[in-house]
Amino acid sequence: MSDLAFHTGIPDRQLYACRALKKAQRLGMSACVLVETEGDLRSFDERLWAFDNTSFIPHGPAGSAEIQRGAFVIGRRPSELPAADLLVMLTHNAPGNMQDLMQRFPKIIDVVASAGTELEAGRSRYRSYKKQGLQPKVVNPKN
Protein backbone atom coordinates (compact mmCIF):
# COMPACT_ATOMS: atom_id res chain seq x y z
CA MET A 1 0.00 0.00 0.00
CA SER A 2 1.23 3.47 -0.76
CA ASP A 3 1.97 6.49 1.36
CA LEU A 4 -0.98 8.92 1.02
CA ALA A 5 0.06 12.36 2.26
CA PHE A 6 -2.28 15.30 2.54
CA HIS A 7 -0.13 18.45 2.09
CA THR A 8 -2.20 21.27 3.62
CA GLY A 9 -2.08 25.04 3.82
CA ILE A 10 -0.64 25.50 0.33
CA PRO A 11 -1.17 29.05 -1.02
CA ASP A 12 -0.53 28.03 -4.66
CA ARG A 13 -1.29 24.39 -5.44
CA GLN A 14 0.21 24.44 -8.94
CA LEU A 15 3.46 26.04 -7.80
CA TYR A 16 3.73 23.46 -5.02
CA ALA A 17 3.17 20.65 -7.56
CA CYS A 18 5.86 22.14 -9.82
CA ARG A 19 8.30 22.09 -6.89
CA ALA A 20 7.36 18.49 -6.11
CA LEU A 21 8.06 17.48 -9.73
CA LYS A 22 11.35 19.37 -9.71
CA LYS A 23 12.37 17.40 -6.61
CA ALA A 24 11.21 14.13 -8.21
CA GLN A 25 13.27 14.98 -11.30
CA ARG A 26 16.34 15.64 -9.15
CA LEU A 27 15.82 12.27 -7.38
CA GLY A 28 15.31 10.39 -10.65
CA MET A 29 11.73 9.46 -9.81
CA SER A 30 8.90 8.86 -12.26
CA ALA A 31 5.77 10.91 -11.58
CA CYS A 32 2.25 11.67 -12.74
CA VAL A 33 -0.09 14.55 -11.98
CA LEU A 34 -3.84 14.05 -11.77
CA VAL A 35 -5.98 17.08 -12.62
CA GLU A 36 -9.73 17.28 -13.02
CA THR A 37 -10.59 19.30 -16.12
CA GLU A 38 -9.11 20.03 -19.52
CA GLY A 39 -8.67 23.63 -18.34
CA ASP A 40 -6.73 22.41 -15.29
CA LEU A 41 -4.52 20.32 -17.58
CA ARG A 42 -3.75 23.25 -19.88
CA SER A 43 -3.16 25.60 -16.96
CA PHE A 44 -0.75 23.21 -15.24
CA ASP A 45 1.06 22.48 -18.51
CA GLU A 46 1.61 26.23 -18.99
CA ARG A 47 2.74 26.59 -15.38
CA LEU A 48 5.37 23.87 -15.84
CA TRP A 49 6.74 25.63 -18.93
CA ALA A 50 7.10 28.92 -17.02
CA PHE A 51 8.08 27.48 -13.64
CA ASP A 52 11.88 27.53 -13.91
CA ASN A 53 13.64 29.60 -16.54
CA THR A 54 16.97 27.83 -15.95
CA SER A 55 15.81 24.25 -16.49
CA PHE A 56 13.10 22.15 -18.08
CA ILE A 57 10.74 19.66 -16.48
CA PRO A 58 9.83 17.20 -19.27
CA HIS A 59 6.09 16.56 -19.28
CA GLY A 60 3.05 16.06 -21.44
CA PRO A 61 -0.58 15.00 -21.42
CA ALA A 62 -1.38 11.33 -20.94
CA GLY A 63 -1.58 9.40 -24.20
CA SER A 64 0.05 12.13 -26.28
CA ALA A 65 2.94 11.83 -28.69
CA GLU A 66 4.71 14.47 -26.59
CA ILE A 67 5.42 11.96 -23.83
CA GLN A 68 8.94 10.66 -24.07
CA ARG A 69 10.90 8.36 -21.83
CA GLY A 70 11.37 10.01 -18.46
CA ALA A 71 8.72 12.68 -18.96
CA PHE A 72 6.12 13.35 -16.29
CA VAL A 73 2.55 12.57 -17.31
CA ILE A 74 -0.42 14.87 -16.66
CA GLY A 75 -3.85 13.29 -16.90
CA ARG A 76 -7.51 13.85 -16.14
CA ARG A 77 -8.51 10.22 -15.58
CA PRO A 78 -6.67 7.87 -13.23
CA SER A 79 -7.01 5.04 -15.75
CA GLU A 80 -4.91 6.91 -18.33
CA LEU A 81 -1.93 7.38 -15.99
CA PRO A 82 0.94 4.88 -16.07
CA ALA A 83 2.24 3.49 -12.79
CA ALA A 84 4.98 5.73 -11.36
CA ASP A 85 6.95 6.43 -8.18
CA LEU A 86 4.85 9.49 -7.34
CA LEU A 87 1.35 10.78 -7.98
CA VAL A 88 0.62 14.46 -7.32
CA MET A 89 -3.10 15.14 -7.07
CA LEU A 90 -4.46 18.54 -8.05
CA THR A 91 -8.07 17.38 -8.27
CA HIS A 92 -11.08 19.09 -6.74
CA ASN A 93 -12.87 15.82 -5.88
CA ALA A 94 -11.56 12.56 -4.46
CA PRO A 95 -11.08 9.89 -7.12
CA GLY A 96 -13.48 7.01 -6.67
CA ASN A 97 -10.74 4.42 -7.16
CA MET A 98 -8.19 5.37 -4.50
CA GLN A 99 -7.43 1.72 -3.72
CA ASP A 100 -6.34 1.20 -7.35
CA LEU A 101 -4.22 4.35 -7.29
CA MET A 102 -2.59 3.27 -4.05
CA GLN A 103 -1.56 -0.02 -5.71
CA ARG A 104 0.03 1.79 -8.68
CA PHE A 105 1.76 4.72 -6.92
CA PRO A 106 4.02 4.12 -3.88
CA LYS A 107 3.78 7.80 -2.92
CA ILE A 108 0.70 10.00 -3.37
CA ILE A 109 0.59 13.69 -2.49
CA ASP A 110 -2.82 15.40 -2.37
CA VAL A 111 -2.16 19.15 -2.48
CA VAL A 112 -4.66 21.16 -0.40
CA ALA A 113 -5.07 24.93 -0.71
CA SER A 114 -4.86 27.26 2.26
CA ALA A 115 -8.18 29.06 1.74
CA GLY A 116 -11.44 29.41 -0.12
CA THR A 117 -13.34 26.83 -2.11
CA GLU A 118 -10.16 24.83 -2.78
CA LEU A 119 -9.66 24.43 0.99
CA GLU A 120 -13.25 23.19 1.35
CA ALA A 121 -12.71 20.78 -1.55
CA GLY A 122 -9.60 19.46 0.25
CA ARG A 123 -11.57 18.87 3.43
CA SER A 124 -14.20 17.02 1.42
CA ARG A 125 -11.50 14.81 -0.18
CA TYR A 126 -10.09 14.04 3.26
CA ARG A 127 -13.52 12.95 4.53
CA SER A 128 -13.95 10.81 1.42
CA TYR A 129 -10.61 9.07 2.03
CA LYS A 130 -11.55 8.37 5.65
CA LYS A 131 -14.89 6.89 4.52
CA GLN A 132 -12.92 4.59 2.19
CA GLY A 133 -10.96 3.35 5.22
CA LEU A 134 -7.79 5.24 4.31
CA GLN A 135 -5.56 7.04 6.80
CA PRO A 136 -3.94 9.99 5.01
CA LYS A 137 -0.92 11.46 6.72
CA VAL A 138 -1.38 15.21 7.18
CA VAL A 139 1.68 17.30 6.31
CA ASN A 140 1.80 21.08 6.77
CA PRO A 141 5.01 22.09 4.97
CA LYS A 142 6.62 25.46 5.36
CA ASN A 143 6.11 27.41 2.11
Side-chain angles (χ1 to χ4, degrees):
M1 201 57 92
S2 72
D3 173 24
L4 172 58
F6 223 63
H7 289 224
T8 63
I10 309 301
D12 184 334
R13 294 174 76 208
Q14 286 190 353
L15 177 60
Y16 191 84
C18 288
R19 290 177 179 156
L21 292 181
K22 182 74 172 174
K23 182 176 180 180
Q25 181 183 40
R26 188 174 64 248
L27 296 174
M29 297 172 70
S30 58
C32 294
V33 179
L34 183 61
V35 297
E36 200 144 323
T37 67
E38 188 64 33
D40 294 338
L41 192 147
R42 282 192 305 274
S43 174
F44 188 63
D45 173 61
E46 290 172 9
R47 189 70 180 261
L48 277 171
W49 280 104
F51 167 66
D52 187 344
N53 62 2
T54 61
S55 65
F56 174 65
I57 298 175
H59 67 281
S64 74
E66 300 166 24
I67 295 295
Q68 298 176 5
R69 184 175 170 91
F72 298 132
V73 178
I74 307 167
R76 294 179 38 229
R77 288 175 292 285
S79 61
E80 66 187 6
L81 298 175
D85 299 319
L86 170 67
L87 174 63
V88 178
M89 293 188 7
L90 293 176
T91 57
H92 309 291
N93 299 296
N97 58 346
M98 278 306 292
Q99 296 295 339
D100 174 58
L101 289 174
M102 294 182 79
Q103 296 299 320
R104 295 175 30 220
F105 299 97
K107 182 168 183 65
I108 299 175
I109 297 173
D110 187 322
V111 184
V112 182
S114 58
T117 58
E118 287 188 3
L119 174 59
E120 272 309 308
R123 289 177 176 156
S124 177
R125 290 192 308 277
Y126 186 84
R127 287 189 298 271
S128 175
Y129 298 147
K130 296 292 274 184
K131 283 181 184 174
Q132 294 178 51
L134 304 174
Q135 299 296 322
K137 177 176 60 174
V138 178
V139 177
N140 192 350
K142 304 272 187 220
N143 292 307

